[in-house]
Amino acid sequence: MAIDPASPIPKYSQLREILLDLIEGSGLVVDDAIPSERELGTEYGLSRMTVRQTIDQLVAEGKLYRVPGKGTFVARPKIAMALALASFTHDMRQRGFTPGSRDILRRIEPAGGHAARMLDLPPGTRVHHIQRLRTADDEPMAVERSTIPLSFAPDLDTHSLAGRSLYQLLEEEYGVLLDSGEQTIEAAICDPTDAKLLRLPPGSPVLLMQRRSFSNGRCVEVATSSYRGDRYQLQTALDPRRRAAG
Ligand code: 16G
């Protein structure tokens, strides 16, 4: 591929395509170095500034990373999370990672107004509040905060969740099989406490997910999770748009 100076597509966009092809398509693997800014400039007849602008963008997107004094390297691909009612444990295992879970906080408390509304329960109903750090191959991935009414799992607090799946425990110990869910996902900035847990610089981006999971139409879990923006992307199949009736 070459840069076409006559093309209406800006040169940095053309270089981006070339670099993406290099990163994703043609033999470079994770942690391989890409050519230096000088080499790219010479090879494609571009100014250093154009090359830097393109690389900066790819670094910001998490496709490349820089090591000062050493060069620019191919980053690990992000984990493409499907929009499904999957448990973290199951999802990580399917991808070949070893899932982990560390309790940050577990307690029984009366549900506040917001949590109660989300759970379709009267305020003050007793709920388990569970905060966990989720890891994959010991690397922090997400902070998850789940609220579960005691009525579904009265002595859940006596079960360790270290390295264990909450969804599996609900099913095996309490016969609660989650069969539907709804979830919102938005961009957010990691709060300082979560940044520390996730070992991210303060102010890093996260995907903030709010999930309600149901069993037989009753809300079993309300969860708020912060997933690392530098490690996750969302992936979904797209259905063809339905034609308007009539
Ligand atoms: C997922 C759910 C979370 C649930 C957890 C159970 C999202 C955003 N969150 O991570 O709500 O508590 O799975 O995982 O997907 P576990 O069965 O491994 O404990």
Side-chain angles (χ1 to χ4, degrees), residues 120-176:
D120 295 324
L121 290 173
T125 306
R126 282 163 35 99
V127 293
H128 296 283
H129 185 66
I130 302 167
Q131 286 188 31
R132 295 183 293 165
L133 177 68
R134 310 310 305 266
T135 58
D137 290 349
D138 290 328
E139 188 187 2
M141 289 288 166
V143 178
E144 297 197 316
R145 299 180 169 84
S146 300
T147 303
I148 297 173
L150 250 67
S151 53
F152 289 108
D155 62 354
L156 181 60
D157 53 312
T158 64
H159 292 273
S160 167
L161 283 171
R164 199 161 176 201
S165 160
L166 172 64
Y167 284 1
Q168 198 179 353
L169 184 65
L170 284 173
E171 194 176 330
E172 289 173 359
E173 284 288 325
Y174 305 100
V176 176

Short mmCIF file of all heavy atoms in Angstrom, two decimals, residues 120-176:
data_model
loop_
_atom_site.label_atom_id
_atom_site.label_comp_id
_atom_site.label_asym_id
_atom_site.label_seq_id
_atom_site.Cartn_x
_atom_site.Cartn_y
_atom_site.Cartn_z
N ASP A 120 -37.64 -3.98 42.26
CA ASP A 120 -39.10 -4.11 42.39
C ASP A 120 -39.48 -4.58 43.79
O ASP A 120 -40.30 -5.50 43.96
CB ASP A 120 -39.67 -5.11 41.36
CG ASP A 120 -39.49 -4.63 39.95
OD1 ASP A 120 -39.60 -3.41 39.73
OD2 ASP A 120 -39.23 -5.46 39.06
N LEU A 121 -38.87 -3.97 44.80
CA LEU A 121 -39.14 -4.36 46.19
C LEU A 121 -39.41 -3.10 47.01
O LEU A 121 -38.98 -2.01 46.64
CB LEU A 121 -37.90 -5.04 46.79
CG LEU A 121 -37.53 -6.42 46.26
CD1 LEU A 121 -36.20 -6.84 46.84
CD2 LEU A 121 -38.62 -7.44 46.61
N PRO A 122 -40.09 -3.26 48.16
CA PRO A 122 -40.27 -2.08 49.02
C PRO A 122 -38.93 -1.64 49.62
O PRO A 122 -38.10 -2.50 49.93
CB PRO A 122 -41.20 -2.58 50.14
CG PRO A 122 -41.65 -3.94 49.75
CD PRO A 122 -40.74 -4.47 48.69
N PRO A 123 -38.70 -0.33 49.76
CA PRO A 123 -37.47 0.14 50.38
C PRO A 123 -37.31 -0.49 51.77
O PRO A 123 -38.30 -0.71 52.46
CB PRO A 123 -37.66 1.66 50.50
CG PRO A 123 -38.77 2.00 49.56
CD PRO A 123 -39.61 0.77 49.39
N GLY A 124 -36.09 -0.77 52.14
CA GLY A 124 -35.85 -1.36 53.46
C GLY A 124 -35.76 -2.89 53.42
O GLY A 124 -35.34 -3.51 54.39
N THR A 125 -36.17 -3.50 52.29
CA THR A 125 -36.05 -4.96 52.16
C THR A 125 -34.57 -5.34 52.28
O THR A 125 -33.70 -4.66 51.73
CB THR A 125 -36.56 -5.42 50.77
OG1 THR A 125 -37.87 -4.91 50.58
CG2 THR A 125 -36.57 -6.93 50.66
N ARG A 126 -34.31 -6.43 53.01
CA ARG A 126 -32.91 -6.78 53.23
C ARG A 126 -32.28 -7.40 51.98
O ARG A 126 -32.88 -8.29 51.36
CB ARG A 126 -32.78 -7.70 54.45
CG ARG A 126 -32.88 -6.84 55.71
CD ARG A 126 -33.17 -7.55 56.97
NE ARG A 126 -32.60 -8.85 57.14
CZ ARG A 126 -31.47 -9.13 57.83
NH1 ARG A 126 -30.76 -8.14 58.36
NH2 ARG A 126 -31.09 -10.36 58.01
N VAL A 127 -31.10 -6.90 51.68
CA VAL A 127 -30.39 -7.36 50.47
C VAL A 127 -28.92 -7.66 50.80
O VAL A 127 -28.36 -7.10 51.74
CB VAL A 127 -30.44 -6.30 49.34
CG1 VAL A 127 -31.85 -6.09 48.83
CG2 VAL A 127 -29.84 -4.97 49.80
N HIS A 128 -28.35 -8.56 50.00
CA HIS A 128 -26.91 -8.76 50.06
C HIS A 128 -26.26 -7.72 49.18
O HIS A 128 -26.69 -7.52 48.03
CB HIS A 128 -26.52 -10.13 49.49
CG HIS A 128 -27.05 -11.28 50.27
ND1 HIS A 128 -26.50 -11.70 51.45
CD2 HIS A 128 -28.09 -12.12 50.03
CE1 HIS A 128 -27.17 -12.75 51.90
NE2 HIS A 128 -28.15 -13.02 51.05
N HIS A 129 -25.23 -7.09 49.72
CA HIS A 129 -24.47 -6.15 48.90
C HIS A 129 -23.07 -6.74 48.73
O HIS A 129 -22.40 -7.06 49.72
CB HIS A 129 -24.43 -4.79 49.58
CG HIS A 129 -23.76 -3.77 48.74
ND1 HIS A 129 -24.30 -3.33 47.56
CD2 HIS A 129 -22.59 -3.13 48.88
CE1 HIS A 129 -23.48 -2.46 47.02
NE2 HIS A 129 -22.43 -2.32 47.80
N ILE A 130 -22.68 -6.94 47.48
CA ILE A 130 -21.41 -7.63 47.21
C ILE A 130 -20.57 -6.77 46.25
O ILE A 130 -21.04 -6.42 45.16
CB ILE A 130 -21.68 -9.00 46.51
CG1 ILE A 130 -22.57 -9.87 47.40
CG2 ILE A 130 -20.37 -9.71 46.18
CD1 ILE A 130 -23.14 -11.09 46.66
N GLN A 131 -19.38 -6.44 46.70
CA GLN A 131 -18.47 -5.72 45.80
C GLN A 131 -17.27 -6.62 45.55
O GLN A 131 -16.63 -7.08 46.50
CB GLN A 131 -17.97 -4.43 46.44
CG GLN A 131 -19.00 -3.35 46.49
CD GLN A 131 -18.40 -2.03 46.97
OE1 GLN A 131 -17.25 -1.74 46.74
NE2 GLN A 131 -19.21 -1.24 47.64
N ARG A 132 -16.96 -6.83 44.27
CA ARG A 132 -15.84 -7.73 43.96
C ARG A 132 -14.93 -7.15 42.90
O ARG A 132 -15.38 -6.44 41.99
CB ARG A 132 -16.39 -9.07 43.41
CG ARG A 132 -17.18 -9.85 44.42
CD ARG A 132 -17.62 -11.18 43.87
NE ARG A 132 -18.60 -11.05 42.80
CZ ARG A 132 -18.91 -12.03 41.98
NH1 ARG A 132 -18.33 -13.20 42.06
NH2 ARG A 132 -19.83 -11.85 41.05
N LEU A 133 -13.66 -7.50 43.03
CA LEU A 133 -12.71 -7.20 41.96
C LEU A 133 -12.60 -8.46 41.12
O LEU A 133 -12.35 -9.54 41.65
CB LEU A 133 -11.34 -6.85 42.56
CG LEU A 133 -10.25 -6.57 41.53
CD1 LEU A 133 -10.54 -5.28 40.76
CD2 LEU A 133 -8.87 -6.47 42.20
N ARG A 134 -12.85 -8.32 39.82
CA ARG A 134 -12.79 -9.48 38.93
C ARG A 134 -11.46 -9.46 38.17
O ARG A 134 -11.06 -8.41 37.65
CB ARG A 134 -13.96 -9.46 37.93
CG ARG A 134 -15.33 -9.26 38.54
CD ARG A 134 -15.64 -10.19 39.69
NE ARG A 134 -15.49 -11.59 39.42
CZ ARG A 134 -16.48 -12.41 39.03
NH1 ARG A 134 -17.68 -11.92 38.85
NH2 ARG A 134 -16.26 -13.69 38.82
N THR A 135 -10.83 -10.62 38.12
CA THR A 135 -9.53 -10.70 37.45
C THR A 135 -9.54 -11.79 36.38
O THR A 135 -10.33 -12.74 36.44
CB THR A 135 -8.41 -11.03 38.47
OG1 THR A 135 -8.72 -12.26 39.13
CG2 THR A 135 -8.24 -9.93 39.50
N ALA A 136 -8.64 -11.64 35.42
CA ALA A 136 -8.42 -12.67 34.40
C ALA A 136 -6.91 -12.90 34.38
O ALA A 136 -6.15 -11.95 34.19
CB ALA A 136 -8.91 -12.19 33.04
N ASP A 137 -6.50 -14.12 34.59
CA ASP A 137 -5.07 -14.44 34.73
C ASP A 137 -4.41 -13.47 35.72
O ASP A 137 -3.31 -12.94 35.47
CB ASP A 137 -4.35 -14.38 33.38
CG ASP A 137 -4.77 -15.52 32.46
OD1 ASP A 137 -5.44 -16.46 32.94
OD2 ASP A 137 -4.43 -15.47 31.26
N ASP A 138 -5.10 -13.21 36.82
CA ASP A 138 -4.62 -12.33 37.90
C ASP A 138 -4.54 -10.85 37.53
O ASP A 138 -4.06 -10.05 38.33
CB ASP A 138 -3.25 -12.79 38.43
CG ASP A 138 -3.36 -14.09 39.20
OD1 ASP A 138 -4.41 -14.30 39.84
OD2 ASP A 138 -2.41 -14.91 39.13
N GLU A 139 -4.99 -10.49 36.37
CA GLU A 139 -4.98 -9.07 35.99
C GLU A 139 -6.35 -8.47 36.29
O GLU A 139 -7.37 -9.05 35.87
CB GLU A 139 -4.67 -8.97 34.48
CG GLU A 139 -4.45 -7.55 34.03
CD GLU A 139 -4.32 -7.44 32.51
OE1 GLU A 139 -4.43 -8.47 31.81
OE2 GLU A 139 -4.12 -6.32 32.05
N PRO A 140 -6.42 -7.34 37.01
CA PRO A 140 -7.73 -6.76 37.31
C PRO A 140 -8.45 -6.34 36.04
O PRO A 140 -7.84 -5.74 35.15
CB PRO A 140 -7.40 -5.52 38.14
CG PRO A 140 -5.98 -5.62 38.51
CD PRO A 140 -5.31 -6.54 37.53
N MET A 141 -9.72 -6.68 35.94
CA MET A 141 -10.50 -6.38 34.74
C MET A 141 -11.70 -5.48 35.04
O MET A 141 -12.06 -4.64 34.22
CB MET A 141 -11.04 -7.69 34.13
CG MET A 141 -9.99 -8.53 33.50
SD MET A 141 -9.46 -7.74 31.98
CE MET A 141 -8.00 -8.63 31.63
N ALA A 142 -12.35 -5.73 36.18
CA ALA A 142 -13.59 -5.00 36.46
C ALA A 142 -13.86 -4.96 37.96
O ALA A 142 -13.39 -5.83 38.70
CB ALA A 142 -14.76 -5.70 35.75
N VAL A 143 -14.60 -3.94 38.37
CA VAL A 143 -15.12 -3.90 39.73
C VAL A 143 -16.63 -4.07 39.59
O VAL A 143 -17.26 -3.36 38.79
CB VAL A 143 -14.80 -2.55 40.42
CG1 VAL A 143 -15.40 -2.52 41.82
CG2 VAL A 143 -13.30 -2.32 40.48
N GLU A 144 -17.18 -5.04 40.32
CA GLU A 144 -18.61 -5.33 40.19
C GLU A 144 -19.30 -5.17 41.55
O GLU A 144 -18.81 -5.66 42.56
CB GLU A 144 -18.82 -6.75 39.69
CG GLU A 144 -18.25 -6.94 38.30
CD GLU A 144 -18.77 -8.18 37.61
OE1 GLU A 144 -18.86 -9.24 38.25
OE2 GLU A 144 -19.10 -8.08 36.42
N ARG A 145 -20.43 -4.47 41.52
CA ARG A 145 -21.20 -4.26 42.75
C ARG A 145 -22.60 -4.84 42.51
O ARG A 145 -23.34 -4.33 41.67
CB ARG A 145 -21.30 -2.77 43.07
CG ARG A 145 -19.94 -2.16 43.30
CD ARG A 145 -19.99 -0.67 43.62
NE ARG A 145 -18.68 -0.23 44.08
CZ ARG A 145 -17.67 0.13 43.28
NH1 ARG A 145 -17.83 0.14 41.97
NH2 ARG A 145 -16.51 0.49 43.80
N SER A 146 -22.91 -5.91 43.24
CA SER A 146 -24.19 -6.59 43.02
C SER A 146 -25.07 -6.47 44.26
O SER A 146 -24.58 -6.52 45.39
CB SER A 146 -23.97 -8.09 42.77
OG SER A 146 -23.17 -8.29 41.65
N THR A 147 -26.35 -6.34 44.02
CA THR A 147 -27.33 -6.32 45.09
C THR A 147 -28.33 -7.44 44.83
O THR A 147 -28.90 -7.51 43.74
CB THR A 147 -28.05 -4.95 45.12
OG1 THR A 147 -27.06 -3.94 45.28
CG2 THR A 147 -29.02 -4.85 46.27
N ILE A 148 -28.51 -8.31 45.83
CA ILE A 148 -29.37 -9.48 45.65
C ILE A 148 -30.28 -9.61 46.87
O ILE A 148 -29.79 -9.65 48.01
CB ILE A 148 -28.50 -10.76 45.52
CG1 ILE A 148 -27.63 -10.65 44.26
CG2 ILE A 148 -29.35 -12.02 45.50
CD1 ILE A 148 -26.62 -11.75 44.11
N PRO A 149 -31.59 -9.66 46.69
CA PRO A 149 -32.49 -9.78 47.85
C PRO A 149 -32.22 -11.07 48.63
O PRO A 149 -31.97 -12.12 48.04
CB PRO A 149 -33.89 -9.84 47.22
CG PRO A 149 -33.73 -9.25 45.86
CD PRO A 149 -32.33 -9.55 45.43
N LEU A 150 -32.31 -10.98 49.96
CA LEU A 150 -32.09 -12.15 50.82
C LEU A 150 -33.06 -13.27 50.49
O LEU A 150 -32.74 -14.45 50.64
CB LEU A 150 -32.27 -11.76 52.30
CG LEU A 150 -30.99 -11.74 53.13
CD1 LEU A 150 -30.08 -10.63 52.65
CD2 LEU A 150 -31.31 -11.58 54.60
N SER A 151 -34.25 -12.88 50.03
CA SER A 151 -35.28 -13.90 49.79
C SER A 151 -34.83 -14.95 48.77
O SER A 151 -35.26 -16.10 48.85
CB SER A 151 -36.58 -13.23 49.30
OG SER A 151 -36.28 -12.42 48.19
N PHE A 152 -33.93 -14.58 47.83
CA PHE A 152 -33.47 -15.56 46.84
C PHE A 152 -32.35 -16.44 47.38
O PHE A 152 -32.20 -17.58 46.95
CB PHE A 152 -32.96 -14.85 45.58
CG PHE A 152 -34.04 -14.22 44.77
CD1 PHE A 152 -34.18 -12.85 44.72
CD2 PHE A 152 -34.93 -15.02 44.04
CE1 PHE A 152 -35.19 -12.27 43.98
CE2 PHE A 152 -35.93 -14.45 43.29
CZ PHE A 152 -36.06 -13.07 43.27
N ALA A 153 -31.55 -15.88 48.28
CA ALA A 153 -30.36 -16.60 48.74
C ALA A 153 -30.08 -16.19 50.18
O ALA A 153 -29.17 -15.40 50.45
CB ALA A 153 -29.18 -16.25 47.84
N PRO A 154 -30.88 -16.74 51.14
CA PRO A 154 -30.84 -16.21 52.51
C PRO A 154 -29.44 -16.20 53.14
O PRO A 154 -29.07 -15.22 53.76
CB PRO A 154 -31.78 -17.15 53.27
CG PRO A 154 -32.66 -17.77 52.22
CD PRO A 154 -31.86 -17.80 50.96
N ASP A 155 -28.68 -17.31 52.97
CA ASP A 155 -27.37 -17.34 53.65
C ASP A 155 -26.20 -17.21 52.67
O ASP A 155 -25.13 -17.77 52.89
CB ASP A 155 -27.23 -18.61 54.51
CG ASP A 155 -27.30 -19.88 53.65
OD1 ASP A 155 -27.56 -19.75 52.43
OD2 ASP A 155 -27.08 -20.97 54.19
N LEU A 156 -26.43 -16.45 51.63
CA LEU A 156 -25.38 -16.23 50.63
C LEU A 156 -24.09 -15.70 51.28
O LEU A 156 -22.98 -15.99 50.85
CB LEU A 156 -25.89 -15.25 49.57
CG LEU A 156 -24.99 -14.88 48.40
CD1 LEU A 156 -24.62 -16.12 47.59
CD2 LEU A 156 -25.65 -13.86 47.49
N ASP A 157 -24.28 -14.90 52.34
CA ASP A 157 -23.12 -14.28 52.99
C ASP A 157 -22.18 -15.32 53.64
O ASP A 157 -21.04 -15.01 53.94
CB ASP A 157 -23.58 -13.27 54.05
CG ASP A 157 -24.56 -13.88 55.03
OD1 ASP A 157 -25.52 -14.53 54.57
OD2 ASP A 157 -24.36 -13.75 56.25
N THR A 158 -22.67 -16.54 53.84
CA THR A 158 -21.82 -17.56 54.47
C THR A 158 -20.98 -18.31 53.43
O THR A 158 -20.16 -19.14 53.78
CB THR A 158 -22.66 -18.59 55.26
OG1 THR A 158 -23.50 -19.28 54.31
CG2 THR A 158 -23.53 -17.93 56.31
N HIS A 159 -21.24 -18.04 52.16
CA HIS A 159 -20.49 -18.73 51.10
C HIS A 159 -19.36 -17.85 50.58
O HIS A 159 -19.61 -16.68 50.25
CB HIS A 159 -21.42 -19.09 49.93
CG HIS A 159 -22.42 -20.13 50.28
ND1 HIS A 159 -22.15 -21.47 50.18
CD2 HIS A 159 -23.68 -20.02 50.74
CE1 HIS A 159 -23.23 -22.15 50.55
NE2 HIS A 159 -24.17 -21.29 50.90
N SER A 160 -18.20 -18.42 50.48
CA SER A 160 -17.08 -17.65 49.92
C SER A 160 -17.29 -17.51 48.41
O SER A 160 -17.74 -18.43 47.74
CB SER A 160 -15.77 -18.39 50.18
OG SER A 160 -14.77 -17.81 49.39
N LEU A 161 -16.96 -16.33 47.91
CA LEU A 161 -17.04 -16.12 46.46
C LEU A 161 -15.64 -16.01 45.85
O LEU A 161 -15.51 -15.71 44.67
CB LEU A 161 -17.85 -14.85 46.16
CG LEU A 161 -19.36 -14.99 46.30
CD1 LEU A 161 -20.04 -13.64 46.20
CD2 LEU A 161 -19.92 -15.94 45.23
N ALA A 162 -14.63 -16.23 46.69
CA ALA A 162 -13.26 -16.13 46.18
C ALA A 162 -13.05 -17.18 45.09
O ALA A 162 -13.19 -18.38 45.36
CB ALA A 162 -12.26 -16.33 47.31
N GLY A 163 -12.78 -16.71 43.91
CA GLY A 163 -12.55 -17.63 42.80
C GLY A 163 -13.77 -18.46 42.44
O GLY A 163 -13.66 -19.53 41.85
N ARG A 164 -14.96 -17.98 42.81
CA ARG A 164 -16.17 -18.75 42.56
C ARG A 164 -17.20 -17.92 41.78
O ARG A 164 -17.23 -16.71 41.92
CB ARG A 164 -16.76 -19.14 43.92
CG ARG A 164 -17.70 -20.28 43.80
CD ARG A 164 -17.93 -20.98 45.09
NE ARG A 164 -18.92 -22.02 44.86
CZ ARG A 164 -19.65 -22.55 45.80
NH1 ARG A 164 -19.48 -22.18 47.05
NH2 ARG A 164 -20.53 -23.47 45.51
N SER A 165 -18.02 -18.61 41.02
CA SER A 165 -19.02 -17.91 40.23
C SER A 165 -20.30 -17.67 41.04
O SER A 165 -20.88 -18.61 41.58
CB SER A 165 -19.35 -18.75 38.99
OG SER A 165 -20.60 -18.36 38.45
N LEU A 166 -20.70 -16.43 41.11
CA LEU A 166 -21.94 -16.08 41.82
C LEU A 166 -23.14 -16.71 41.13
O LEU A 166 -24.03 -17.26 41.80
CB LEU A 166 -22.07 -14.55 41.84
CG LEU A 166 -23.37 -13.96 42.36
CD1 LEU A 166 -23.59 -14.31 43.83
CD2 LEU A 166 -23.40 -12.45 42.18
N TYR A 167 -23.16 -16.65 39.82
CA TYR A 167 -24.31 -17.20 39.09
C TYR A 167 -24.41 -18.72 39.29
O TYR A 167 -25.51 -19.26 39.43
CB TYR A 167 -24.21 -16.87 37.60
CG TYR A 167 -24.56 -15.43 37.24
CD1 TYR A 167 -24.92 -14.51 38.22
CD2 TYR A 167 -24.54 -14.99 35.92
CE1 TYR A 167 -25.23 -13.21 37.89
CE2 TYR A 167 -24.85 -13.68 35.59
CZ TYR A 167 -25.19 -12.79 36.58
OH TYR A 167 -25.51 -11.49 36.25
N GLN A 168 -23.25 -19.38 39.32
CA GLN A 168 -23.25 -20.83 39.53
C GLN A 168 -23.73 -21.15 40.95
O GLN A 168 -24.51 -22.08 41.16
CB GLN A 168 -21.84 -21.36 39.32
CG GLN A 168 -21.79 -22.84 39.08
CD GLN A 168 -20.37 -23.33 38.84
OE1 GLN A 168 -19.43 -22.53 38.73
NE2 GLN A 168 -20.20 -24.62 38.80
N LEU A 169 -23.29 -20.35 41.91
CA LEU A 169 -23.70 -20.55 43.30
C LEU A 169 -25.22 -20.36 43.44
O LEU A 169 -25.90 -21.16 44.09
CB LEU A 169 -22.94 -19.55 44.18
CG LEU A 169 -23.15 -19.63 45.69
CD1 LEU A 169 -22.60 -20.95 46.24
CD2 LEU A 169 -22.44 -18.47 46.39
N LEU A 170 -25.73 -19.31 42.80
CA LEU A 170 -27.18 -19.07 42.87
C LEU A 170 -27.95 -20.27 42.32
O LEU A 170 -28.97 -20.68 42.88
CB LEU A 170 -27.55 -17.81 42.06
CG LEU A 170 -27.21 -16.46 42.70
CD1 LEU A 170 -27.47 -15.32 41.71
CD2 LEU A 170 -28.02 -16.24 43.98
N GLU A 171 -27.43 -20.83 41.26
CA GLU A 171 -28.12 -21.95 40.62
C GLU A 171 -27.99 -23.22 41.47
O GLU A 171 -28.99 -23.89 41.75
CB GLU A 171 -27.50 -22.16 39.23
CG GLU A 171 -28.32 -23.05 38.35
CD GLU A 171 -27.74 -23.16 36.94
OE1 GLU A 171 -27.10 -22.20 36.47
OE2 GLU A 171 -27.92 -24.23 36.33
N GLU A 172 -26.76 -23.52 41.88
CA GLU A 172 -26.54 -24.81 42.54
C GLU A 172 -27.05 -24.84 43.99
O GLU A 172 -27.57 -25.83 44.45
CB GLU A 172 -25.04 -25.15 42.51
CG GLU A 172 -24.59 -25.52 41.09
CD GLU A 172 -23.09 -25.69 40.96
OE1 GLU A 172 -22.37 -25.52 41.95
OE2 GLU A 172 -22.66 -26.01 39.82
N GLU A 173 -26.88 -23.72 44.71
CA GLU A 173 -27.26 -23.71 46.13
C GLU A 173 -28.72 -23.31 46.34
O GLU A 173 -29.35 -23.74 47.29
CB GLU A 173 -26.39 -22.71 46.91
CG GLU A 173 -24.99 -23.20 47.19
CD GLU A 173 -24.95 -24.31 48.24
OE1 GLU A 173 -25.76 -24.26 49.18
OE2 GLU A 173 -24.12 -25.21 48.09
N TYR A 174 -29.21 -22.43 45.48
CA TYR A 174 -30.53 -21.85 45.74
C TYR A 174 -31.54 -22.13 44.63
O TYR A 174 -32.67 -21.66 44.68
CB TYR A 174 -30.40 -20.33 45.95
CG TYR A 174 -29.40 -19.99 47.05
CD1 TYR A 174 -28.10 -19.60 46.73
CD2 TYR A 174 -29.74 -20.10 48.39
CE1 TYR A 174 -27.18 -19.32 47.72
CE2 TYR A 174 -28.83 -19.83 49.39
CZ TYR A 174 -27.54 -19.44 49.05
OH TYR A 174 -26.62 -19.18 50.04
N GLY A 175 -31.09 -22.86 43.61
CA GLY A 175 -32.00 -23.20 42.52
C GLY A 175 -32.49 -21.99 41.74
O GLY A 175 -33.57 -22.02 41.15
N VAL A 176 -31.73 -20.91 41.76
CA VAL A 176 -32.13 -19.70 41.04
C VAL A 176 -31.40 -19.65 39.70
O VAL A 176 -30.19 -19.44 39.65
CB VAL A 176 -31.81 -18.42 41.86
CG1 VAL A 176 -32.15 -17.17 41.05
CG2 VAL A 176 -32.56 -18.43 43.18
#
